[in-house]
Amino acid sequence: GAVVSQHPSWVICKSGTSVKIECRSLDFQATTMFWYRQFPKQSLMLMATSNEGSKATYEQGVEKDKFLINHASLTLSTLTVTSAHPEDSSFYICSARNEEQYFGPGTRLTVT
Amino acid sequence: KQEVTQIPAALSVPEGENLVLNCSFTDSAIYNLQWFRQDPGKGLTSLLLIQSSQREQTSGRLNASLDKSSGRSTLYIAASQPGDSATYLCAVRPYGTASKLTFGTGTRLQVTL
């Protein structure tokens, strides 16, 4: 199956700093990418949908100024958590789609 | 609004057993349905994709069926192994190029020796 990579796989940052997470589709071009977050023992919560070359569409309740999404190419999308706070600590998963939807391995963010 | 439910929420079986995981959805106007597995602390691995026009898909020991009219899908795992232990999620996708998946609540499977 297709491969989606994420970098970093885990990151620890201090409160108030910004963190960037990269998501790449390695062997296919994805016009649509998705960003999810997941809390322990819960299902995935969609944060935003991004299309290459256009602004991301955020789900209700997700702050677009806090979670900046850039989908600069058909194989790369980035999520930047700005001015991170401890409540932003979570597991962030990206996904890329052609016909089937493929998920990255996730990024564990811990804000201290 | 689409709602996806999975039963059972958790399941423990001895190695070698065949098992069935259930997924039901309220809106039958779906484009496709996917089954995923998620290991603890990991992302999702796509297992099977069934298009709305299909009735079933098979991959190795896995077989997924789809009955769109009744809003049901099942994932059949034959001859279960300890390595099958994971959380299994079904997700439905509506029509539309930027359409979003709606995930089920998941079934946590434990296969014991």
Side-chain angles (χ1 to χ4, degrees):
Chain A
V3 177
V4 176
S5 71
Q6 270 183 253
H7 178 80
S9 55
W10 59 271
V11 57
I12 300 173
C13 71
K14 291 182 185 269
S15 189
T17 61
S18 295
V19 173
K20 180 186 282 190
I21 303 170
E22 289 189 354
C23 175
R24 293 181 186 272
S25 56
L26 298 183
D27 52 1
F28 69 100
Q29 294 184 329
T31 53
T32 306
M33 286 186 166
F34 305 85
W35 287 95
Y36 297 83
R37 69 187 291 184
Q38 186 178 34
F39 294 102
K41 299 191 187 300
Q42 295 187 24
S43 192
L44 279 71
M45 183 189 78
L46 180 65
M47 298 174 66
T49 302
S50 75
N51 292 293
E52 185 263 339
S54 62
K55 290 184 179 180
T57 302
Y58 290 81
E59 294 299 298
Q60 193 170 10
V62 178
E63 299 176 59
K64 62 180 181 181
D65 295 329
K66 180 168 188 59
F67 299 99
L68 301 179
I69 292 172
N70 184 280
H71 192 162
S73 77
L74 289 172
T75 59
L76 173 64
S77 177
T78 60
L79 167 67
T80 301
V81 183
T82 62
S83 186
H85 289 102
E87 57 265 31
D88 298 324
S89 299
S90 190
F91 191 54
Y92 292 87
I93 307 176
C94 74
S95 177
R97 184 164 78 195
N98 44 23
E99 181 65 18
E100 196 165 334
Q101 194 153 333
Y102 302 95
F103 286 79
T107 297
R108 173 78 54 194
L109 169 63
T110 301
V111 185
T112 60
Chain B
K1 180 188 173 186
Q2 178 75 270
E3 291 182 3
V4 184
T5 305
Q6 289 184 245
I7 294 173
L11 181 63
S12 181
V13 300
E15 181 180 14
E17 266 200 18
N18 303 323
L19 58 101
V20 175
L21 307 181
N22 297 290
C23 171
S24 61
F25 47 95
T26 55
D27 186 348
S28 62
I30 64 168
Y31 179 63
N32 62 37
L33 182 145
Q34 270 184 274
W35 282 94
F36 299 91
R37 70 174 278 170
Q38 185 177 29
D39 295 282
K42 306 289 186 183
L44 275 64
T45 300
S46 179
L47 298 174
L48 289 164
L49 170 75
I50 310 179
Q51 299 291 358
S52 62
S53 58
Q54 297 175 322
R55 298 285 291 184
E56 66 177 339
Q57 283 287 331
T58 299
S59 175
R61 294 182 294 109
L62 305 179
N63 176 277
S65 68
L66 175 64
D67 184 344
K68 203 172 75 161
S69 60
S70 68
R72 295 178 187 275
S73 176
T74 60
L75 179 67
Y76 175 82
I77 303 177
S80 58
Q81 302 171 358
D84 294 331
S85 299
T87 295
Y88 289 80
L89 296 161
C90 68
V92 297
R93 177 186 167 189
Y95 290 88
T97 50
S99 57
K100 301 172 285 193
L101 295 182
T102 299
F103 284 91
T105 44
T107 294
R108 190 173 304 172
L109 173 65
Q110 180 76 33
V111 180
T112 57
L113 290 170

